């Protein structure tokens, strides 16, 4: 008899030279037939192996069997891809759990033999089949296992967290552009990562802080500071 790629098993030719098909006989049934024909040797060959259609191998030890390749597991003479979210790093796996579940920070499509690290801008919880894009206004942790909402004083894009630029402020969480919540108010200045438009008071009359200031600007010789900003803490915002 012989096995076709379709999984059908044929007997040797009859008196008229025609093959006789055995309906419904597939790789799993072939495993049973080999047990009958080869006894314990066939059983040993079947463990962690799958039935092949390599007719040139008939007659040799473990003829018609091949070791289950990496990324797969083999049961009852049939080969299966390791399920999505798992990986099989060794040959002759016999369980659908394969080698292990994909760890957090990596992903494993079906048939994986290794874990693939999550790329930038994505995150991968344990058992991921594919990377998940980080939402706008969120960032991935260092190991890319989950995402977090962007805190105040920051903005988040492409899965990365960045401080609001000097001269601006971020009063809300979940910001996603470098303009953050807006520019610093007149009479105040805002270092990088500021959370208020009135982050820091400009200082005495020797300094001015126009709108969007990153630091106090000394009043030039021969000029005086005028026009305070809004609020009790406000410094001067211009000179004349």
């Amino acid at each position: 008899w012989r096995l076709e790629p379709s999984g059908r098993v044929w007997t040797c030719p009859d008196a008229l030279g025609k093959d006789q098909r055995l309906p419904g006989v597939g790789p799993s049934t072939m495993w049973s037939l080999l047990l009958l024909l080869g006894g314990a040797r066939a059983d040993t060959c079947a463990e962690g192996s799958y039935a092949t259609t390599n007719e040139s191998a008939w007659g040799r030890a473990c003829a018609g069997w091949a070791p289950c390749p990496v990324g797969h597991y083999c049961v009852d003479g049939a080969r299966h891809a390791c399920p999505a979210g798992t990986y099989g790093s060794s040959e002759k796996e016999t369980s659908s759990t394969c080698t292990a579940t994909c760890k957090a920070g990596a992903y494993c499509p079906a048939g994986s033999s290794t874990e693939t690290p999550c790329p930038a801008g994505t995150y991968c919880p344990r058992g991921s089949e594919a990377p998940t894009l980080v939402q706008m206004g969120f960032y991935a942790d260092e190991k890319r296992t989950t995402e977090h909402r962007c805190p105040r004083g920051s903005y988040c894009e492409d899965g990365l967290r960045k401080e609001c630029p000097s001269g601006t402020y971020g009063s809300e969480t979940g910001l996603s552009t470098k303009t953050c919540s807006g520019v610093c108010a007149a009479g105040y200045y805002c270092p990088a990562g500021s959370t208020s438009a009135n982050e820091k008071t400009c200082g005495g009359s020797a300094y001015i802080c126009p709108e969007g200031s990153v630091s106090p600007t000394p009043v030039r010789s021969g000029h005086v500071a005028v026009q305070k900003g809004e609020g009790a803490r406000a410094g001067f915002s211009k000179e004349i």
Side-chain angles (χ1 to χ4, degrees):
W1 49 271
R2 61 188 176 85
L3 177 69
E4 286 191 341
S6 64
R8 294 182 299 180
V9 174
W10 297 78
T11 64
C12 293
D14 60 15
L16 298 178
K18 296 181 179 180
D19 284 343
Q20 300 300 305
R21 182 168 66 86
L22 299 180
V25 178
S28 296
T29 307
M30 189 185 80
W31 181 82
S32 299
L33 291 173
L34 282 177
L35 283 177
L36 293 173
L37 295 172
R41 184 193 60 76
D43 182 51
T44 301
C45 293
E47 182 71 19
S49 302
Y50 68 102
T52 74
T53 57
N54 182 9
E55 296 183 14
S56 65
W58 298 132
R60 286 189 253 165
C62 290
W65 295 92
C68 211
V70 295
H72 296 77
Y73 69 99
C74 294
V75 177
D76 293 337
R79 182 180 67 175
H80 309 275
C82 289
T86 70
Y87 68 97
S89 60
S90 303
E91 292 185 339
K92 296 189 175 183
E93 295 284 357
T94 58
S95 168
S96 60
T97 58
C98 292
T99 299
T101 299
C102 209
K103 69 183 178 185
Y107 68 98
C108 301
S112 292
S113 59
T114 59
E115 298 172 297
T116 303
C118 249
T122 69
Y123 67 98
C124 298
R126 185 174 182 269
S128 290
E129 174 182 3
T132 301
L133 283 174
V134 177
Q135 301 178 75
M136 293 292 289
F138 286 72
Y139 68 99
D141 62 359
E142 186 177 349
K143 294 185 177 179
R144 298 173 184 164
T145 62
T146 189
E147 64 177 2
H148 303 279
R149 190 173 181 84
C150 212
R152 297 170 65 230
S154 303
Y155 70 100
C156 296
E157 59 179 2
D158 299 327
L160 299 176
R161 173 186 169 186
K162 304 173 184 177
E163 284 188 321
C164 289
S166 299
T168 71
Y169 68 99
S171 60
E172 311 161 65
T173 62
L175 296 174
S176 59
T177 64
K178 65 181 180 181
T179 57
C180 291
S181 298
V183 296
C184 205
Y188 302 87
Y189 69 98
C190 296
S194 293
T195 59
S196 168
N198 306 338
E199 188 75 13
K200 294 185 178 293
T201 301
C202 191
S205 59
Y207 299 93
I208 59 170
C209 292
E211 186 179 68
S213 289
V214 301
S215 62
T217 301
V219 175
R220 292 174 296 170
S221 177
H223 293 71
V224 293
V226 295
Q227 193 171 325
K228 280 198 170 188
E230 296 182 4
R233 294 191 304 111
F236 293 95
S237 63
K238 63 184 295 186
E239 65 179 11
I240 58 173

